[in-house]
Amino acid sequence: MTRIRLAAMAALLPLVLAATAGAQTVTPMTPDVVKSYDKVRPDANFIRREVMIPMRDGTKLYTVIVMKKGTKNGPILLSRTPYDAKSSVARVASQDIDEIVPAMDIEFVDDGYVRVYQDIRGLHNSEGEFIMNRPIRGPLNKTDIDEATDAYDTIDWLVKNVPESNGKVGIIGSSYLGFTSLMAEIDPHPALKASVPQSPMVDGWMGDDWFHNGAYRQPSFDYVVEQSTGKAEAGGTATGVGDDYTRYLEAGSAGDFARKWGYDTYPFSQKLMQNPAYTDFWSLQAVDKWLAARPLTVPTMLVVGQWDQEDSYGAPAVYRAWEPKDTKNDKLSLVIGPWRHSGVNHYGYNLGALSFTGDTAREFRVKYLKPFFDHYLKDAPDPHTPPVLTYATGENHWEVSQKWPAGNPAKLYLGDGFKLSFQQPVANGHDDYLSDPSKPVPFIPRPINMADAFQWKPWLVHDQRFVSDRTDVLVYQTEVLDKPVHIMGAPLVDLFAATSGTDSDWVVKLIDVYPNTSSEGAAQGSTVAEMAGFELPVGIEIFRGRYVHGFDKPQALTPGKVEEYKWSLPNVDHVFLPGHKIMVQVQSSLFPLYDRNPQTFVPNIFNARPSDYKAATESVYHGGKAASAVILPIVDQ
């Protein structure tokens, strides 16, 4: 028996040794920390590489490359980001590529695309120095590098060092990534075959992130701190979650707020505060002006959300700059979807109280976006991308147009008795309200937390009834419509107004008023019932009065003098349905999104003192030679 047992143990010994192969000898005092863990396991269905790509000045940029295993002859889809390339491929900790990449990328990686994400210069894991929206080489940038050269050098390296690639590159991205996508088209690399800038940052003073027509957007300070602390990995600010309305109001001017919280120590904050007017400091940074001076060589699809709360200006501005160069109307397209900022890359079932016909974002990506890239990067058949693709909200369907704007201008006049009409009033008149900077009109109901995504992302579609009965908001509306009014373009404001002060802001809202009737309730799956009497903003925009005679020429207003103010609302495709009304609201603040105008002219509102903030009587004129109107781009029915 002893010999039998020994023989059995000898036979088991190789199995025991195999089971413990590689195991370390441990004791109770063996340290329990390992240096790293590779989350990509051998059975993952993708390949992931991290590389440092050298730029022409020797700076190396951190880049993540992912693709499905077995990818061959795959096109490269590049995004250059300030928001951490590493996290761009970590949506879910998974061994499935469809889970690690953003939702917008699933169809691409499943079809053999090589997806590339790169940290821009100076942020996260890249080397170098970060400069916000780094200006192009030229008057404001005397160096030999900018985001255009970094894009060129990156593409050059990728096509030479990614063996799974077919040598063709597309670039895509939203917001800041939309800016870097446009920059790649300045002196583009020959391998760059297609570009899709989404909600790009184009002109931060005219209508994108920092200012709108001269009025300062106060959340910009938080963004500056997030992006300019260290390598953008310090997180946000620590102001708490209380009411931002109270917080900003008690601080005083926007400059006082910055100084209270130490934001003024950031160079970009100083750039904002020292340059409140549209001087060369801003106008020479306008990307649409850079592009207008260059040929259109890369097929480009510009995308923006109709209710983009951050960058509604950029895509249409680039379209205006480049459309004359698209002589065959086949190289440049504009897309306006029913989305908030960057909503195209996520889910498009709804926005705020609005519901659409299915996932409009994915529908667009599958039906239009991917075929666009497939054609130029994979030699797929020409999908005949529409020159203009817009989603008609109100009726909720996609529309194809050959040009933009597609509507013809028609004036909707403000009139006596707070009426709106397409007939110009004959008699002169005006309506007055008292604008008090100590009680500014909130842009959404209080309490306000602009860091709360559920407040911030859908604010442009918030029901405006919360301010309709304020005495410092003028409300004009049509009779009930007996036929649809379809607008396609950017409504224009033509406002004749005067103030008793020496400066003033003017806010105009174009609103679709729903019938005050109910259908079946939510228990039956209805959302329409919840919108009885809803006042849906179709477009909201502000204008700082001191710039009425030139954005680079701030001037005090003459008390009581009627001035003509002209500016644009965002581009839209919207149908005001029969049974609805059209409404226009006029007010003088939109707080705390925009800084308060003291209504006393001061050289720099960032430095306004408490004594400068004074109530003023605001007068909106209508009829005769001072016929205030909103000019609607109406499509003939």
Side-chain angles (χ1 to χ4, degrees):
M1 294 293 292
T2 301
R3 287 196 298 272
I4 294 174
R5 290 194 188 97
L6 289 174
M9 292 177 62
L12 289 172
L13 183 59
L15 298 177
V16 173
L17 293 174
T20 59
Q24 58 180 319
T25 301
V26 296
T27 72
M29 289 301 294
T30 299
D32 288 320
V33 175
V34 297
K35 185 176 181 180
S36 63
Y37 170 71
D38 187 357
K39 292 183 179 180
V40 182
R41 310 313 300 160
D43 60 346
N45 68 358
F46 61 89
I47 296 168
R48 182 182 188 277
R49 301 180 188 134
E50 296 182 18
V51 295
M52 296 295 290
I53 298 180
M55 300 295 102
R56 63 190 62 185
D57 65 343
T59 300
K60 295 180 180 179
L61 304 187
Y62 173 84
T63 308
V64 183
I65 303 168
V66 295
M67 70 194 83
K68 263 199 168 179
K69 285 181 177 176
T71 295
K72 295 179 180 179
N73 200 37
I76 294 172
L77 189 58
L78 169 67
S79 292
R80 305 192 61 249
T81 179
Y83 303 129
D84 188 12
K86 185 177 292 185
S87 68
S88 297
V89 290
R91 180 169 61 89
V92 176
S94 173
Q95 304 307 305
D96 185 347
I97 194 169
D98 287 359
E99 292 190 307
I100 69 166
V101 299
M104 62 158 285
D105 289 336
I106 293 173
E107 287 80 19
F108 291 99
V109 294
D110 282 350
D111 193 32
Y113 276 70
V114 178
R115 196 64 174 94
V116 179
Y117 310 84
Q118 182 181 73
D119 287 332
I120 63 171
R121 183 179 290 258
L123 293 186
H124 299 286
N125 291 292
S126 283
E127 299 174 352
E129 293 182 335
F130 171 63
I131 295 176
M132 190 82 73
N133 297 113
R134 183 183 292 266
I136 192 175
R137 292 156 291 152
L140 302 181
N141 178 358
K142 301 298 185 181
T143 73
D144 294 327
I145 56 98
D146 56 20
E147 297 296 351
T149 63
D150 283 354
Y152 189 103
D153 296 347
T154 297
I155 293 171
D156 192 66
W157 189 95
L158 289 171
V159 296
K160 294 175 180 177
N161 292 277
V162 179
E164 298 88 350
S165 162
N166 66 3
K168 295 182 179 181
V169 179
I171 192 165
I172 190 172
S174 180
S175 195
Y176 205 117
L177 287 74
F179 163 72
T180 57
S181 295
L182 287 174
M183 291 297 289
E185 299 192 60
I186 294 174
D187 305 322
H189 192 283
L192 182 64
K193 303 300 182 181
S195 174
V196 180
Q198 303 164 325
S199 300
M201 301 168 71
V202 168
D203 192 324
W205 196 96
M206 289 299 300
D208 285 324
D209 291 271
W210 320 127
F211 298 83
H212 276 214
N213 295 314
Y216 177 62
R217 292 166 63 87
Q218 296 186 122
S220 300
F221 283 134
D222 299 275
Y223 183 82
V224 170
V225 174
E226 291 172 4
Q227 291 303 120
S228 301
T229 302
K231 301 190 77 174
E233 295 182 340
T237 55
T239 54
V241 295
D243 188 359
D244 282 338
Y245 185 100
T246 301
R247 182 177 294 115
Y248 279 91
L249 189 62
E250 290 178 347
S253 69
D256 288 336
F257 184 86
R259 288 181 280 270
K260 171 182 172 61
W261 290 96
Y263 301 165
D264 61 316
T265 61
Y266 286 78
F268 193 76
S269 292
Q270 287 297 325
K271 294 176 184 180
L272 295 168
M273 295 166 66
Q274 293 175 22
N275 297 278
Y278 197 59
T279 59
D280 286 350
F281 183 92
W282 295 115
S283 63
L284 293 180
Q285 294 190 53
V287 179
D288 56 324
K289 295 181 175 64
W290 299 343
L291 297 173
R294 287 167 167 76
L296 172 63
T297 59
V298 178
T300 301
M301 176 186 284
L302 298 159
V303 181
V304 68
Q306 183 160 297
W307 287 285
D308 190 307
Q309 77 280 10
E310 296 176 26
D311 295 299
S312 63
Y313 179 87
V318 172
Y319 178 82
R320 290 192 298 271
W322 255 351
E323 197 277 334
K325 300 176 185 290
D326 187 19
T327 56
K328 295 183 180 179
N329 206 26
D330 62 352
K331 192 168 285 187
L332 179 70
S333 59
L334 175 66
V335 177
I336 302 175
W339 311 308
R340 45 90 175 174
H341 183 68
S342 299
V344 61
N345 294 324
H346 302 283
Y347 300 97
Y349 295 101
N350 51 50
L351 180 62
L354 296 178
S355 295
F356 309 115
T357 52
D359 185 349
T360 57
R362 186 177 185 277
E363 178 187 10
F364 161 73
R365 296 196 302 265
V366 171
K367 189 174 180 180
Y368 297 101
L369 176 62
K370 188 170 181 296
F372 172 80
F373 275 127
D374 286 350
H375 175 58
Y376 292 106
L377 304 184
K378 300 183 73 173
D379 297 322
D382 188 350
H384 302 289
T385 301
V388 180
L389 177 69
T390 56
Y391 191 87
T393 53
E395 291 184 340
N396 290 349
H397 58 82
W398 289 102
E399 296 188 312
V400 171
S401 306
Q402 297 304 305
K403 63 186 178 91
W404 192 261
N408 297 310
K411 285 192 173 184
L412 183 62
Y413 293 97
L414 283 60
D416 287 333
F418 299 101
K419 299 294 185 182
L420 282 179
S421 173
F422 289 103
Q423 300 297 319
Q424 181 174 351
V426 177
N428 292 322
H430 63 83
D431 300 307
D432 303 334
Y433 61 95
L434 184 70
S435 173
D436 187 348
S438 69
K439 300 177 181 179
V441 182
F443 78 101
I444 52 176
R446 298 174 62 187
I448 297 172
N449 177 5
M450 291 184 284
D452 180 353
F454 291 100
Q455 290 190 24
W456 176 243
K457 291 180 179 180
W459 86 261
L460 278 172
V461 296
H462 198 287
D463 189 347
Q464 294 301 298
R465 283 178 290 189
F466 80 103
V467 296
S468 290
D469 58 354
R470 283 183 61 123
T471 59
D472 52 359
V473 178
L474 299 182
V475 180
Y476 301 84
Q477 59 184 335
T478 65
E479 299 295 332
V480 174
L481 300 176
D482 58 6
K483 61 181 180 180
V485 176
H486 188 178
I487 61 174
M488 298 180 71
L492 305 176
V493 175
D494 189 8
L495 184 71
F496 291 87
T499 177
S500 65
T502 52
D503 199 359
S504 179
D505 286 350
W506 305 99
V507 177
V508 169
K509 306 173 184 175
L510 177 65
I511 296 168
D512 185 345
V513 182
Y514 281 57
N516 196 27
T517 56
S518 299
S519 62
E520 287 190 299
Q524 302 299 334
S526 172
T527 58
V528 177
E530 301 171 5
M531 298 187 70
F534 200 93
E535 295 178 2
L536 172 68
V538 176
I540 300 175
E541 195 54 278
I542 192 170
F543 187 98
R544 182 140 285 175
R546 61 175 51 208
Y547 300 112
V548 65
H549 298 299
F551 288 127
D552 61 338
K553 301 178 182 67
Q555 298 176 14
L557 301 176
T558 301
K561 181 182 178 182
V562 179
E563 299 277 10
E564 184 178 12
Y565 300 89
K566 292 184 176 182
W567 72 97
S568 297
L569 301 181
N571 286 266
V572 298
D573 181 351
H574 183 75
V575 182
F576 298 89
L577 296 173
H580 292 224
K581 297 179 182 180
I582 303 176
M583 176 184 285
V584 169
Q585 293 183 1
V586 184
Q587 59 198 59
S588 289
S589 50
L590 207 58
F591 188 77
L593 172 57
Y594 294 97
D595 65 332
R596 294 175 300 150
N597 191 315
Q599 301 180 162
T600 301
F601 183 85
V602 295
N604 188 333
I605 292 178
F606 283 103
N607 300 323
R609 300 164 300 181
S611 60
D612 296 323
Y613 290 85
K614 297 179 180 178
T617 298
E618 315 286 33
S619 301
V620 173
Y621 285 75
H622 43 76
K625 295 182 179 180
S628 295
V630 175
I631 305 170
L632 302 181
I634 294 181
V635 179
D636 295 332
Q637 299 296 316

